[in-house]
Amino acid sequence: MNRTSSEERLARFQRDGFLVLPRFVSPEACDGLIDRARALVEAFEPGELRSIFSTTDQALTTDAYFLGSGDAIRFFFEEGAFDAEGRLRAPKALSINKIGHALHDRDPRFDAFSRTPALAALARDLGLSEPRLLQSMYIFKQPHIGGEVVCHQDATFLYTDPVTVTGFWFALEDATLDNGAMWALPGGHRQGLKARFRRDEGDRVRTEILDPTPWPEARPENGYVPLLAEKGTLIVLHGLLPHLSGPNTSDRSRHAYTFHVVDGAADYPRDNWLRRDSGSPLRGFS
Ligand code: FE2
């Protein structure tokens, strides 16, 4: 990318708080990741570990399995995936909400997808002087049961001082209005951080409210825009940008892979939920 277009790109990112970059990765690369995620799910035996992921009931879902996933590959089910007897209502492959949170470090295919010269150059252009890949997720957004993700800022969950977290989100399948595309509030990243999700030494978690003003309701008339993304699109999100996604009401899945980068020059407080207790250091793009 030439100098002018990278400067334009940075100016747009600073103005809007996000970038939508179509055709950033090839359809074949997307298919490779989809295949790998399918193989990981096939090999996963849920047993008694039935952790679900919900953004509407954090206390229910923040268990030891979740808190220990910062350095591992773990599997989280959709809300409503189990019946009253604890049996899966649908096949396992259609019941998983996401896999997290160290795919980029613990799986060679995800590692290679996450660390490319193009991504390293983009991160540098966006001002990340010492980029460190902190956390990754494979999100299934299953047909019919793929749950909503309520409006939030990523810096609430991955906090550095100063705020540096930056999201890299890849559409592995088309993200449309009816299968749960993301929505964002352009420019909302300039309003400051509204909450911090903190973990204490006893592994209790709580959300500290820094600014109680609620986000405007997520409707187009309030300025929100859908981030429609064809397969292969990369969306970059500023850590303070308010964003969300609705439920998947369609009969098509909306697979996405996302990872979050922080700047190694910023302070990463220990009361973040995500800890690398194994001691393995965070790595950059190489
Ligand atoms: Fe997010």
Side-chain angles (χ1 to χ4, degrees):
M1 185 150 301
N2 63 40
R3 173 175 282 274
T4 311
S5 53
S6 35
E7 281 169 5
E8 272 171 19
R9 206 166 52 178
L10 176 59
R12 249 188 310 138
F13 184 69
Q14 289 173 335
R15 183 193 66 196
D16 296 336
F18 64 88
L19 286 175
V20 179
L21 304 172
R23 294 179 294 283
F24 193 90
V25 290
S26 69
E28 294 74 27
C30 294
D31 291 341
L33 230 51
I34 291 171
D35 287 347
R36 183 63 190 138
R38 185 181 298 124
L40 289 171
V41 169
E42 270 170 25
F44 166 59
E45 284 299 333
E48 294 304 304
L49 292 172
R50 287 176 180 158
S51 211
I52 62 168
F53 180 75
S54 166
T55 62
T56 52
D57 191 345
Q58 216 102 53
L60 180 71
T61 58
T62 308
D63 53 20
Y65 184 73
F66 179 90
L67 289 177
S69 65
D71 206 5
I73 295 177
R74 293 190 174 178
F75 301 80
F76 302 91
F77 287 99
E78 289 287 352
E79 273 186 278
F82 298 99
D83 66 17
E85 274 76 51
R87 289 181 302 241
L88 279 175
R89 296 176 200 272
K92 184 175 60 173
L94 290 174
S95 305
I96 301 273
N97 172 290
K98 67 177 182 182
I99 312 174
H101 288 95
L103 288 158
H104 62 292
D105 280 339
R106 296 287 165 261
D107 182 85
R109 183 81 70 97
F110 280 89
D111 182 351
F113 186 98
S114 309
R115 293 183 166 97
T116 63
L119 284 165
L122 176 58
R124 192 179 53 236
D125 287 352
L126 296 180
L128 290 157
S129 62
E130 294 175 36
R132 297 285 178 268
L133 277 66
L134 173 64
Q135 177 257 31
S136 53
M137 295 183 283
Y138 189 100
I139 301 165
F140 291 84
K141 205 70 146 176
Q142 304 280 8
H144 304 299
I145 63 164
E148 68 173 323
V149 173
V150 298
C151 192
H152 66 282
Q153 297 165 299
D154 290 339
T156 291
F157 301 99
L158 301 170
Y159 180 79
T160 63
D161 183 14
V163 169
T164 58
V165 63
T166 306
F168 293 76
W169 186 100
F170 300 86
L172 303 179
E173 299 180 305
D174 295 348
T176 63
L177 286 178
D178 68 345
N179 75 353
M182 283 195 293
W183 287 70
L185 185 61
H189 62 302
R190 291 193 291 269
Q191 294 183 31
L193 184 61
K194 285 197 187 289
R196 267 201 69 198
F197 185 66
R198 305 175 82 139
R199 170 179 177 180
D200 69 17
E201 289 307 316
D203 286 344
R204 288 176 296 265
V205 294
R206 67 187 169 91
T207 302
E208 178 189 8
I209 304 299
L210 306 173
D211 170 3
T213 324
W215 297 113
E217 202 182 333
R219 305 160 69 95
E221 51 270 42
N222 291 336
Y224 287 84
V225 296
L227 304 185
L228 304 177
E230 286 186 359
K231 177 173 185 159
T233 299
L234 167 60
I235 296 176
V236 188
L237 298 172
H238 190 288
L240 291 174
L241 183 75
H243 61 285
L244 64 142
S245 63
N248 184 354
T249 57
S250 80
D251 53 12
R252 290 167 295 111
S253 57
R254 193 227 65 187
H255 289 204
Y257 171 60
T258 181
F259 61 79
H260 290 88
V261 173
V262 292
D263 197 313
D267 180 50
Y268 183 79
R270 174 145 176 97
D271 65 357
N272 273 298
W273 79 264
L274 192 158
R275 294 177 189 162
R276 301 270 286 206
D277 284 336
S278 71
S280 63
L282 296 178
R283 292 166 49 213
F285 283 102
S286 54

